[in-house]
Amino acid sequence: MQKIVEWTAVEDVVLGRFIDADSLLFMTRSQRIFVIEVPSGQETEVCASQPGYIVGQPWVTLSTGTEAEPSYAQMMSMFKRRLFAMCNASSVYSGRLLSWTERLAGLTERGQYVAAITLAVGLYTGQTGQIVVGLPRPGENTDKKRHSAVADKLVEMIRSALKDTFGKEGSPSSPAVQRALGVACIDACLATSNSRLLFGDVFDTYSLSPPSTQIYLETLEPFILSGRVAYLPPQILNAMIDNYKASSRLVRRLGELLMQLELVPGEFDVDRVLQSCRKYQLWRTFARVWLSLGDPVAPII
């Protein structure tokens, strides 16, 4: 015998069933049901019923006459990867593990796009913290197949989310919803290295109105400051310059962002930025812009 995997259950296990060679289902005393991925030891709680809801067959020890732990061996069984359980002594329930595409479809059908996109990013990176059905496990020889499958689904979901959130006639949802979706979309595009989608469809949709454009730009800020976004296309960089000139507070934030970005001569309004830097005394940004133009002497003249 060879030990394949080891884990510690949250409480006493009263039933175990193999779904297939790689997946073990078990139920605890309080009738919480988990699935273990045998090769990796990844544990996922799939459901929790009320204690006593699933019927157990009582046993009485012959030696003492006292009741022992009820047996569920005859009350729960697996057939073709589906679990059947006797509940409330008069009902039979069944369930199965959903594939990764079914899980994403269920979330999008309920309009939970942020949750769906976040889950898809976890599936892409192999870091969901849950058992996954239907995708190759993370590994050196499987990442390319997993990335290809999930990336296509992510693009489809992001476009559907943008369409439903902003409406066919350009009537967007609340700012909070737009902001949450923006964070999810940016994170997904960066995780999958899809800058074309981030600076294309996503920006085009948010730029339908000035308030939405501002939300997009503000949502980009932490990604720029953290170094995850190092370059902005001309139309987005100039939109940021235009939108951040309204107050000294916004101009100072713009200065911090320009310090982090790769500035390409000819792709932004140099005169406008330098004018704002002089007006609000953003000398570090002033020097940074001149250095991007290849003239390190001009700031000190």
Side-chain angles (χ1 to χ4, degrees), residues 170-222:
S171 53
S173 301
S174 69
V177 172
Q178 293 182 50
R179 198 174 301 276
L181 178 60
V183 171
C185 290
I186 293 171
D187 187 57
C189 291
L190 294 177
T192 56
S193 301
N194 195 341
S195 59
R196 184 174 181 178
L197 178 64
L198 174 60
F199 300 137
D201 289 1
V202 178
F203 175 71
D204 291 344
T205 302
Y206 275 83
S207 63
L208 291 173
S209 68
S212 297
T213 303
Q214 187 68 27
I215 289 174
Y216 175 90
L217 297 173
E218 290 177 355
T219 305
L220 271 177
E221 283 188 29

Side-chain angles (χ1 to χ4, degrees), residues 2 6 9 12 20 25 28 32 43 45 63 66 70 78 80 100 182 186 195 208 215 218 267 272 283 287:
Q2 178 183 1
E6 181 177 353
D12 291 343
D20 53 36
L25 177 146
T28 65
R32 296 168 64 188
E43 177 184 283
E45 183 172 5
S63 58
T66 58
M78 298 294 306
K80 292 185 177 180
W100 68 278
I186 293 171
S195 59
L208 291 173
I215 289 174
E218 290 177 355
E267 291 193 354
R272 188 182 305 171
W283 303 123

